[in-house]
Amino acid sequence: AQSVTQPDIHITVSEGASLELRCNYSYGATPYLFWYVQSPGQGLQLLLKYFSGDTLVQGIKGFEAEFKRSQSSFNLRKPSVHWSDAAEYFCAVGAVSGNQGGKLIFGQGTELSVKP
Amino acid sequence: GAGVSQTPSNKVTEKGKYVELRCDPISGHTALYWYRQSLGQGPEFLIYFQGTGAADDSGLPNDRFFAVRPEGSVSTLKIQRTERGDSAVYLCASSRQGPGSNEQFFGPGTRLTVL
């Protein structure tokens, strides 16, 4: 079955510290992978995506993620966290083709808090 | 340009009532998606339209839920005989095409509360 697991429900980091949010997926074919961020009262905003090619992808706001096929992982990283990064982060896998095309399967999310 | 818009932003209704939630996608986007997000959870897929037709409605939980997109633009999600368990944020997203370019742009959502 297709699924996305984000093992950490809540993470707290100090401002300026590095960040890694974990994501593991289960999917029967080559996946499209995404990270979205959701701030209170805001819609989901795409941070970055992986379709193919270079397994290290760069996104907006200084975020990056690395696709590791052998580990079925797509972890999100940022070298130095800012207070404005506090939000909920969702990893998602998208179907590549077929009659399930267009469906995104989301993880349950990781809430990030940033300490001053 | 304008993003995905959803109306109303909040809807409070009583158990057993009928509700309609509206989504205006980004102009020119042919694919439209509905998701439901319960408190503390990630969004859960409901239905996907390519143009006017529902290409995948496997996520609709039961026959009380129905969605239409008659002219290939605006979509309406309809819920009959609402139940308290239907309370959630309903998200709409659109993308330029179907799965090939699968970058979905999300609206702010409609928060539905069933009393």
Side-chain angles (χ1 to χ4, degrees):
Chain A
Q2 302 163 357
S3 65
V4 176
T5 301
Q6 294 180 246
D8 304 304
I9 296 174
H10 190 198
I11 284 182
T12 300
V13 300
S14 297
E15 190 167 17
S18 63
L19 171 71
E20 182 169 28
L21 302 183
R22 295 182 291 165
C23 172
N24 292 95
Y25 67 89
S26 173
Y27 189 71
T30 302
Y32 290 169
L33 293 162
F34 306 82
W35 275 98
Y36 282 87
V37 61
Q38 187 176 42
S39 299
Q42 303 294 315
L44 286 158
Q45 181 183 20
L46 181 68
L47 285 176
L48 48 76
K49 59 183 184 282
Y50 172 77
F51 284 359
S52 64
D54 193 346
T55 57
L56 183 64
V57 294
Q58 303 295 322
I60 62 171
K61 305 184 180 185
F63 285 93
E64 66 177 27
E66 186 172 12
F67 170 57
K68 293 185 177 180
R69 184 187 300 276
S70 62
Q71 298 178 19
S72 297
S73 69
F74 189 56
N75 294 349
L76 182 71
R77 300 195 294 250
K78 186 169 184 177
S80 178
V81 169
H82 187 262
W83 64 267
S84 61
D85 293 325
E88 187 93 22
Y89 290 80
F90 293 96
C91 180
V93 61
V96 173
S97 63
N99 63 6
Q100 292 185 340
K103 177 165 64 176
L104 285 179
I105 300 166
F106 285 86
Q108 70 178 80
T110 298
E111 183 180 357
L112 173 66
S113 298
V114 180
K115 291 190 300 186
Chain B
V4 178
S5 63
Q6 293 186 244
T7 54
S9 55
N10 281 282
K11 176 69 177 178
V12 180
T13 190
E14 293 180 344
K15 180 174 177 288
K17 299 290 189 182
Y18 168 83
V19 296
E20 289 189 352
L21 312 179
R22 176 187 168 106
C23 172
D24 279 271
I26 293 172
S27 178
H29 282 192
T30 60
L32 184 145
Y33 317 80
W34 284 99
Y35 294 84
R36 178 170 69 175
Q37 186 174 20
S38 300
L39 193 63
Q41 300 296 316
E44 179 186 23
F45 170 79
L46 295 177
I47 187 169
Y48 154 52
F49 287 90
Q50 183 60 46
T52 61
D56 182 358
D57 64 357
S58 62
L60 294 177
N62 51 59
D63 61 6
R64 295 187 298 105
F65 288 75
F66 188 71
V68 295
R69 194 185 185 199
E71 297 179 357
S73 179
V74 170
S75 176
T76 304
L77 179 65
K78 309 180 181 194
I79 309 174
Q80 299 177 319
R81 305 183 303 281
T82 52
E83 300 178 355
R84 292 195 179 87
D86 299 335
S87 296
V89 176
Y90 289 81
L91 298 170
C92 177
S94 69
S95 68
R96 192 172 301 279
Q97 304 175 32
S101 66
N102 219 4
E103 179 173 346
Q104 298 182 20
F105 296 83
F106 283 80
T110 293
R111 181 176 299 278
L112 174 66
T113 303
V114 182
L115 301 177

